Amino acid sequence: MSFTLHGLGVSGGIAIGRALLMSHATLEVSHLTVGPRMVDREIARFDQAVATVKSELAAMKESTEHAPAELSAFIDIHTMFLEDPELIDKPREIIRARRCNAEWALVQQMEQLVAQFEQFDDPYLRERKLDVRQVVERVIKELLGHPSRAAMKADKGLKEETLVVVAHDLSPADVISFKEHRFASFITDVGGATSHTAILARSMAIPSVVGLSNARSLIRDGEVLIIDGMRGVVIIDPDERVLEEYQLRKNQIELEKTKLKRLKNSKSQTIDGIDVALYANIELPVDTPEALEGGAEGIGLFRTEFLFLDRGDMPDEQEQYEAYKKVVKGMGGRPVTIRTFDLGNDKDLHPDSSVHDRVKTNPALGRRAIRLSLAEPQMFQTQLRAILRASKFGPIKLLIPMLAHAHEIDQTLAALEQAKSSLRGEKVAFDEDIQVGGMIEIPAAALAIGLFLRRLDFLSIGTNDLIQYTLAIDRSDEQVASLYDPLHPAVLMLLAHTISSAEKANVPVSVCGEMAGDPLLTRLFLGMGLRIFSMHPSQILKVKNRVLKANAGELAPTVRRMLRQEEPGKLREALEKLNA
């Protein structure tokens, strides 16, 4: 019987295949009492299990040398938990104090830690409880003598390309194993948009849906499934008509991807001869090849905070320098815009970091981004020196996040001059004329744009935060996510005002938020006068296709009339006509 489940689509695309159920440890272990003479042996058994899992993770990291950097980072997180006294030393104490078996002691301590993680306000940190459970599950399996990797057994004759993994949960280690296979998709009962499995799914381009609640118990091995990663829908045992419809859509998506690849070397120019620069957003140096493959003319946003996340220490100057140099050299003379770290809000430092405790509650409105950098001058100098040192290898632009006040620019420029002075004193080469730009992502900055145009070389509009702050909506809060509206009249007014003001002042301006990568908004932005877009590499060719078919001169008056609309419904109708 056909039925449908709804969850959270975390990686787009369509997959069609047969269900492959993945078993998982229940973590419901027996409480056994051991004799006094057996306590040391039980602790030794526990230590051996931990050591074995650490060795497995180390081997796995070695095998992921050329895989997406996120994979290696997730292994590091799990290894770090296996070295955390709260998770490893406490079970030993419980074994001695209560003379119990290692499995039960470990699960008791795990529940304590999970309860602590559930108290975090930040959704990213809160979801790290899943990592704790996944690490403990691996150790429990070792203690019980089970295979370290969750068991999966497909029927004979079925190719992996036709299989959809169905699991209650997937650890990063499980997902990493996907690179050794060619599964069509995976779906899970639990997980959120910022869970590791979701992040990995997007980085590996695997159509996926998480948060389905009870898929593992409702779906049977071998059932035909349709996974719609765009809509977050899973169709079980579809009828022939639905199956044919989705197969057609899947084929169309693949055909469209093939056609778009032909545009890679085409000049990005409108019908009326207007050049439009299409840049890539990246998070780690290993993203550079993907940017080039997507046809990026440069890096419009290098989110350096991803070098800082999920670690107990701050990367030193040399480590940062090597990362920035790798990107600059990899881009072969194309411009690279490096944003100073935008920590805080949804991208917090690891709890063990010395700076973590100084990022307080309500982080979206607190000491984050440039506010945190200016409050931590030593940390800021380390990053500025590393960026300047890398600038001798190619054109680098420095981008300052979350500006709201003129004095923040003045302080940043003073800090930059201090970094330059120290490098001059050491006779270290760098670009003396490095350009400095600011992100416009707070309504106050957009409304007082003149303050920034007079002080900066370029601007970049971060639409994700601009929408969030304009509409007072936490985009990570599922209860109000439906109110997050890029086409709200206030948002469009701020965008148009910023773009036109920069144009009048002859200051380059780009859009680097998610709106830049939405092909349905390309014509709207061209009509506003935008000439520089920066987006995820996978979206570049889709946007270029729209640029090549657009007439910027004809779009401008149409968009001006459109922006006079104040009714959201009429705005959407106008946008549909614009794309017709």
Side-chain angles (χ1 to χ4, degrees):
M1 181 182 72
S2 180
F3 62 98
T4 302
L5 296 176
H6 296 269
L8 180 64
V10 293
S11 185
I14 292 172
I16 300 173
R18 291 190 177 274
L20 174 62
L21 267 58
M22 187 171 179
S23 64
H24 64 282
T26 63
L27 296 178
E28 295 176 359
V29 297
S30 300
H31 180 194
L32 304 176
T33 301
V34 300
R37 295 181 181 179
M38 298 295 291
V39 168
D40 287 340
R41 185 177 296 181
E42 197 67 15
I43 291 174
R45 192 170 71 90
F46 172 73
D47 289 344
Q48 181 58 50
V50 171
T52 299
V53 173
K54 286 177 70 173
S55 296
E56 291 171 353
L57 291 174
M60 194 176 299
K61 182 173 182 178
E62 195 172 322
S63 72
T64 61
E65 182 180 356
H66 301 296
E70 292 94 332
L71 305 182
S72 178
F74 298 155
I75 296 174
D76 288 340
I77 295 170
H78 281 207
T79 302
M80 180 188 69
F81 276 123
L82 286 172
E83 296 170 348
D84 189 334
E86 286 295 312
L87 187 63
I88 302 306
D89 290 351
K90 288 292 178 68
R92 297 191 187 105
E93 295 174 9
I94 294 173
I95 293 171
R96 287 195 183 280
R98 305 186 189 182
R99 296 206 337 241
C100 62
N101 56 316
E103 295 90 339
W104 189 81
L106 179 57
V107 170
Q108 298 312 298
Q109 183 58 20
M110 178 200 72
E111 296 296 351
Q112 291 283 334
L113 289 176
V114 167
Q116 292 176 24
F117 274 94
E118 287 176 343
Q119 299 302 312
F120 283 116
D121 292 327
D122 188 296
Y124 181 87
L125 291 176
R126 196 164 55 245
E127 286 183 3
R128 299 292 66 79
K129 68 183 180 184
L130 298 177
D131 293 303
V132 176
R133 288 189 180 277
Q134 289 161 356
V135 168
V136 169
E137 184 174 341
R138 290 182 69 87
V139 178
I140 293 292
K141 286 176 182 177
E142 189 63 36
L143 286 167
L144 295 175
H146 294 171
S148 61
R149 184 172 294 163
M152 292 185 292
K153 185 177 180 182
D155 293 337
K156 291 182 179 180
L158 288 178
K159 296 181 179 180
E160 285 185 341
E161 297 92 327
T162 65
L163 297 177
V164 175
V165 175
V166 182
H168 174 72
D169 192 14
L170 289 173
S171 71
D174 292 324
V175 180
I176 286 168
S177 72
F178 276 34
K179 79 181 187 70
E180 302 169 8
H181 302 278
R182 298 178 62 186
F183 295 123
S185 172
F186 65 79
I187 59 176
T188 60
D189 291 340
V190 300
T194 57
S195 65
H196 282 331
T197 36
I199 296 169
L200 282 167
R202 289 190 287 270
S203 71
M204 298 173 74
I206 300 174
S208 305
V209 179
V210 302
L212 289 161
S213 298
N214 51 7
R216 179 63 179 72
S217 59
L218 292 176
I219 296 172
R220 292 174 295 184
D221 256 323
E223 282 190 308
V224 175
L225 305 179
I226 295 174
I227 313 301
D228 189 336
M230 292 290 291
R231 295 178 171 84
V233 171
V234 176
I235 303 174
I236 297 90
D237 192 22
D239 60 36
E240 286 298 320
R241 183 184 60 80
V242 173
L243 195 60
E244 288 177 7
E245 179 185 335
Y246 269 91
Q247 187 62 61
L248 180 61
R249 285 177 54 192
K250 185 174 183 292
N251 293 342
Q252 288 173 337
I253 290 172
E254 294 302 320
L255 182 62
E256 187 64 27
K257 286 181 181 178
T258 302
K259 288 181 178 178
L260 288 174
K261 287 180 181 178
R262 301 173 188 168
L263 302 179
K264 178 182 174 181
N265 297 318
S266 301
K267 186 176 182 180
S268 181
Q269 191 178 76
T270 61
I271 293 173
D272 52 337
I274 302 296
D275 291 331
V276 178
L278 301 179
Y279 294 155
N281 297 342
I282 65 169
E283 289 149 10
L284 292 164
V286 292
D287 297 334
T288 306
E290 184 185 359
L292 292 172
E293 182 62 29
E297 299 170 48
I299 301 299
L301 177 62
F302 180 4
R303 299 183 174 102
T304 60
E305 59 272 9
F306 283 82
L307 299 172
F308 294 72
L309 298 184
D310 290 319
R311 51 187 294 166
D313 63 337
M314 302 297 290
D316 60 23
E317 182 181 320
Q318 187 63 25
E319 184 179 348
Q320 291 187 57
Y321 162 71
E322 293 293 343
Y324 305 146
K325 180 177 75 171
K326 186 174 182 180
V327 172
V328 174
K329 293 183 74 172
M331 290 305 294
R334 298 172 181 83
V336 175
T337 301
I338 299 179
R339 182 175 70 183
T340 59
F341 60 82
D342 185 8
L343 292 167
N345 194 23
D346 58 340
K347 298 186 290 293
D348 206 354
L349 287 164
H350 187 272
D352 290 342
S353 166
S354 60
V355 181
H356 175 268
D357 289 339
R358 297 194 282 282
V359 182
K360 300 299 183 182
T361 57
N362 202 352
L365 301 178
R367 181 179 283 182
R368 58 165 291 204
I370 190 57
R371 300 171 183 176
L372 181 60
S373 294
L374 294 174
E376 300 288 337
Q378 185 175 351
M379 186 168 61
F380 198 28
Q381 280 298 303
T382 297
Q383 184 172 38
L384 291 175
R385 281 175 53 92
I387 292 172
L388 286 169
R389 287 172 58 194
S391 68
K392 73 177 181 181
F393 295 99
I396 284 181
K397 296 180 179 182
L398 185 67
L399 182 60
I400 312 302
M402 202 184 171
L403 290 171
H405 303 277
H407 67 77
E408 291 169 337
I409 302 175
D410 297 337
Q411 288 176 257
T412 298
L413 295 177
L416 181 62
E417 184 53 43
Q418 180 184 344
K420 287 181 176 180
S421 180
S422 66
L423 291 175
R424 291 189 197 106
E426 298 169 16
K427 294 183 169 31
V428 175
F430 63 90
D431 180 7
E432 286 278 2
D433 299 318
I434 189 170
Q435 291 192 354
V436 181
M439 290 207 61
I440 304 301
E441 48 193 338
I442 298 175
L447 292 171
I449 194 71
L451 294 174
F452 306 98
L453 292 171
R454 290 192 289 272
R455 289 171 169 82
L456 295 167
D457 299 308
F458 67 95
L459 299 177
S460 184
I461 305 173
T463 55
N464 301 356
D465 273 337
L466 184 63
I467 298 167
Q468 173 173 252
Y469 291 128
T470 302
L471 303 182
I473 291 170
D474 182 353
R475 52 196 168 102
S476 65
D477 186 341
E478 297 176 1
Q479 297 181 13
V480 294
S482 61
L483 300 176
Y484 185 85
D485 184 10
L487 292 180
H488 190 287
V491 173
L492 296 182
M493 287 170 62
L494 291 174
L495 288 169
H497 173 66
T498 302
I499 293 169
S500 63
S501 297
E503 183 182 15
K504 290 174 184 175
N506 201 29
V507 173
V509 59
S510 67
V511 170
C512 64
E514 290 184 20
M515 289 180 73
D518 187 345
L520 294 177
L521 302 179
T522 302
R523 289 171 174 262
L524 174 64
F525 277 128
L526 289 173
M528 286 184 184
L530 185 69
R531 300 295 179 257
I532 307 172
F533 296 67
S534 190
M535 66 205 74
H536 189 280
S538 64
Q539 296 299 107
I540 292 175
L541 294 181
K542 296 176 185 177
V543 171
K544 179 183 278 191
N545 187 42
R546 294 287 180 135
V547 170
L548 295 174
K549 297 176 180 178
N551 186 315
E554 292 180 359
L555 286 171
T558 305
V559 169
R560 281 197 296 270
R561 289 193 299 271
M562 175 180 169
L563 294 176
R564 296 191 191 109
Q565 295 284 354
E566 294 183 352
E567 293 294 330
K570 292 183 178 180
L571 266 172
R572 293 186 184 281
E573 287 178 11
L575 183 64
E576 289 177 8
K577 291 180 181 178
L578 201 65
N579 286 297

